[in-house]
Amino acid sequence: SDLREQEERGELLRPLCFVLLVLCSVLLYFKVSLMDPGFVKPEEEAKAGEAEGQSLVMPQATGEVKLQRCGYCLVKQPMRARHCQLCQHCVRRYDHHCPWLENCVGERNHPLFMAYLGVQLVVLLWGGHVAWSGLSFQQSWEWLQHNIFLLLSFFLIVTFTIVVLLLLVSHLYLISCNTTTWEFMSHHRISYLRHSERENPFDQGIILNLWRFFC
């Protein structure tokens, strides 16, 4: 009867939405961590996508940029691919290897990775709000004993919220510039960027960069 009354008052809607968000976050986590991030396979070396990737760079390069063969897995690397020694594969549009996911973030799972970060941030902010609303501060040792776990949970949520927010903002910035974490951090080591007349030959404007990435 109590559940029915709470349902009629709409009090079950918020916890139900929170549980669904948590479930969505968990499903996205497993999806991103278990899926193929864009491994380069030997039979895919001559795909048309490679020619498209070259055409973005070649007109703006000071010299001819040739595709290199990976010294580890011996496949011809497409433009913007990199070999990950942890995954033992070359990954298309390699961004980084995420230790939390135990998988690379690359061409195929990068948009889902962004969705995961977005949902995770909403869950953390909601959880932080719930934890904060449950605190009523009093200056007594007895109060601290009864609320120590709630306080620790709140500070833990705040820490993870800051980390996820920084990750989300930094990735959105890189996506808006049409660059990857690896290209941003190792610009001087990448041949097709070193030989380019522009700092980022892939940049086509913020709107088009975001559209091509998410759509």
Side-chain angles (χ1 to χ4, degrees):
S1 60
D2 290 340
L3 282 175
R4 185 177 295 278
E5 291 177 3
Q6 289 178 342
E7 183 181 0
E8 291 174 353
R9 292 196 300 266
E11 295 176 0
L12 295 179
L13 183 60
R14 291 177 65 186
L16 180 61
C17 289
F18 182 77
V19 170
L20 289 175
L21 274 174
V22 172
L23 181 61
C24 180
S25 173
V26 172
L27 291 176
L28 281 170
Y29 172 84
F30 283 109
K31 177 66 175 176
V32 176
S33 63
L34 296 176
M35 74 180 295
D36 177 356
F39 294 136
V40 181
K41 300 177 176 60
E43 62 270 19
E44 297 177 349
E45 288 185 10
K47 271 195 171 182
E50 297 175 8
E52 181 184 351
Q54 292 179 61
S55 65
L56 294 175
V57 179
M58 301 298 280
Q60 301 155 10
T62 56
E64 185 180 357
V65 180
K66 295 183 179 179
L67 297 182
Q68 297 179 346
R69 191 168 290 277
C70 177
Y72 296 97
C73 53
L74 302 179
V75 297
K76 188 171 285 187
Q77 289 182 331
M79 197 72 69
R80 312 189 79 178
R82 183 177 186 264
H83 183 85
C84 175
Q85 297 196 30
L86 294 173
C87 292
Q88 295 296 310
H89 284 286
C90 285
V91 180
R92 293 178 182 273
R93 201 181 183 278
Y94 175 87
D95 189 87
H96 71 285
H97 182 92
C98 181
W100 298 103
L101 297 171
E102 281 297 324
N103 194 13
C104 282
V105 175
E107 184 179 72
R108 293 189 61 192
N109 64 350
H110 201 169
L112 282 176
F113 176 73
M114 296 299 296
Y116 167 69
L117 288 180
V119 173
Q120 192 65 44
L121 181 62
V122 174
V123 169
L124 287 167
L125 289 172
W126 197 336
H129 172 72
V130 171
W132 179 260
S133 64
L135 291 171
S136 54
F137 293 98
Q138 298 176 14
Q139 296 181 351
S140 68
W141 175 248
E142 183 179 356
W143 176 89
L144 184 61
Q145 284 182 315
H146 284 90
N147 292 270
I148 185 67
F149 289 111
L150 190 58
L151 276 172
L152 289 175
S153 299
F154 176 74
F155 286 119
L156 191 65
I157 289 172
V158 169
T159 302
F160 279 114
T161 300
I162 293 172
V163 171
V164 171
L165 181 61
L166 289 175
L167 270 174
L168 186 62
V169 171
S170 63
H171 275 275
L172 282 173
Y173 168 74
L174 293 176
I175 291 166
S176 69
C177 299
N178 198 0
T179 189
T180 63
T181 303
W182 173 57
E183 290 171 341
F184 181 78
M185 300 295 292
S186 307
H187 188 278
H188 60 286
R189 295 166 49 195
I190 302 172
S191 59
Y192 59 80
L193 294 181
R194 284 204 318 267
H195 296 100
S196 174
E197 295 177 357
R198 293 175 56 187
E199 184 177 353
N200 179 15
F202 301 106
D203 189 5
Q204 297 178 301
I206 294 176
I207 295 176
L208 190 56
N209 291 338
L210 293 173
W211 175 265
R212 286 184 177 274
F213 181 87
F214 288 107
C215 305

